[in-house]
Amino acid sequence: MRLCINIDHIATLRQARLESEPDPIVAAGICELAGADGIVCHLREDRRHIIDRDVRILKEIVKTKLDLEMAATDEMVKIAKEIKPHMVTLVPEKRQELTTEGGLDLAALEFKISPAIDLLKEDGIKVSVFIEPSPESVDMALEIGADMIEIHTGKYGRLRDANDIITELEIISRTAKLAKELGIGVNAGHGLNYGNITAIANIAEIDEVSIGHSIIARAVFTGLGPAVKEMIEIIRRTRP
Ligand code: PXP
């Protein structure tokens, strides 16, 4: 299972002072040196953390792969087609939210998402859609031409009751298995941390995880390289 690091929070710290540091570009290099398989950043409409310059430079310097998270708006599709990241993850976006709050409602948004996927794929950009864990979402993702799904693990990350956790893991696992059967790549992300990653790594169909908050939070105390390495070690124990 590949580990991709979301470096938005490095940019959040920079934007808190509108300064030039800490620079997410440096963070990307450190994550890659520590063994990360990819770098993720979310260019939001309000540019609250990652800014256009970051995405452009990341595309130049990232050696593994750059996953650009974005809403399926005309503005973002235009930027992605210019910069050509290795992949795009389409996410819902609300201005007031602290972080992405849930998966895309593909049925409701088909008219918006499907043309965006076509335009991105025209330029050879692989497209993932961030979805709630459910068989219906997988069917819909296939129908609109997504190459991959990213299963929203936010609910799993928040649950505290053991039975609820088992139930949610079963839903995630069923979603991942169905996607694999249908030939779509399977990523997962949101709310994953050092304590809850093992159960996700146990689901063999999950190809990749995208983790930001827990790794950057730990990095404040241990440094970014060690924080990334520790997550890799935990994953490797389950998925050598
Ligand atoms: N995947 C998606 C689609 C996200 O929007 C985010 C948050 O930016 C993440 C993964 C990473 O979530 P977290 O910061 O909770 O690890």
Side-chain angles (χ1 to χ4, degrees):
M1 190 172 80
R2 296 184 295 272
L3 171 65
C4 296
I5 313 289
N6 181 313
I7 54 171
D8 292 351
H9 282 348
I10 303 288
T12 302
L13 194 52
R14 176 192 61 190
Q15 296 310 99
R17 283 288 185 92
L18 296 175
E19 290 286 353
S20 58
E21 63 184 14
D23 195 331
I25 309 303
V26 177
I30 293 172
C31 289
E32 288 191 313
L33 283 174
D37 299 295
I39 301 298
V40 188
C41 68
H42 184 174
L43 186 65
R44 283 180 168 268
E45 185 200 12
D46 62 9
R47 310 301 199 267
R48 70 170 76 153
H49 39 53
I50 294 291
I51 56 176
D52 302 54
R53 161 264 186 204
D54 300 332
V55 187
R56 243 177 276 118
I57 302 177
L58 285 169
K59 173 62 203 309
E60 294 301 317
I61 64 111
V62 164
K63 304 277 189 297
T64 50
K65 71 163 176 176
L66 177 64
D67 176 3
L68 174 62
E69 269 182 33
M70 55 177 238
T73 60
D74 293 345
E75 183 202 14
M76 288 301 153
V77 169
K78 185 165 173 278
I79 291 170
K81 283 174 78 70
E82 276 164 21
I83 297 178
K84 297 187 178 60
H86 304 99
M87 65 177 277
V88 156
T89 299
L90 294 175
V91 296
E93 199 176 293
K94 288 190 225 130
R95 201 168 253 265
Q96 303 80 4
E97 69 191 357
L98 291 177
T99 180
T100 316
E101 283 172 352
L104 290 159
D105 183 347
L106 293 178
L109 294 170
E110 187 187 353
F111 72 97
K112 232 171 92 178
I113 306 287
S114 185
I117 292 178
D118 292 344
L119 286 167
L120 293 165
K121 286 174 80 167
E122 247 174 38
D123 284 321
I125 303 167
K126 297 259 182 250
V127 185
S128 175
V129 285
F130 188 51
I131 58 158
E132 291 302 316
S134 80
E136 296 76 30
S137 301
V138 176
D139 289 339
M140 199 66 206
L142 185 72
E143 201 177 306
I144 62 177
D147 301 292
M148 288 158 276
I149 54 163
E150 179 177 331
I151 301 173
H152 183 214
T153 50
K155 181 177 174 193
Y156 161 69
R158 279 193 312 273
L159 291 172
R160 293 292 167 262
D161 178 82
N163 289 326
D164 292 345
I165 292 173
I166 290 167
T167 306
E168 186 65 13
L169 281 169
E170 275 166 7
I171 299 169
I172 293 171
S173 174
R174 253 187 281 130
T175 305
K177 282 189 172 66
L178 176 64
K180 260 292 138 77
E181 276 163 27
L182 297 173
I184 318 181
V186 185
N187 304 338
H190 216 281
L192 298 178
N193 59 38
Y194 297 86
N196 66 22
I197 188 65
T198 299
I200 292 294
N202 256 319
I203 302 172
E205 288 79 11
I206 296 180
D207 303 312
E208 182 173 300
V209 284
S210 165
I211 306 182
H213 185 86
S214 62
I215 291 178
I216 305 302
R218 182 158 300 200
V220 171
F221 302 114
T222 68
L224 186 52
V228 171
K229 281 187 183 146
E230 193 179 341
M231 185 62 80
I232 293 172
E233 272 167 31
I234 296 172
I235 292 171
R236 292 283 168 271
R237 269 179 233 147
T238 312
R239 300 270 291 271

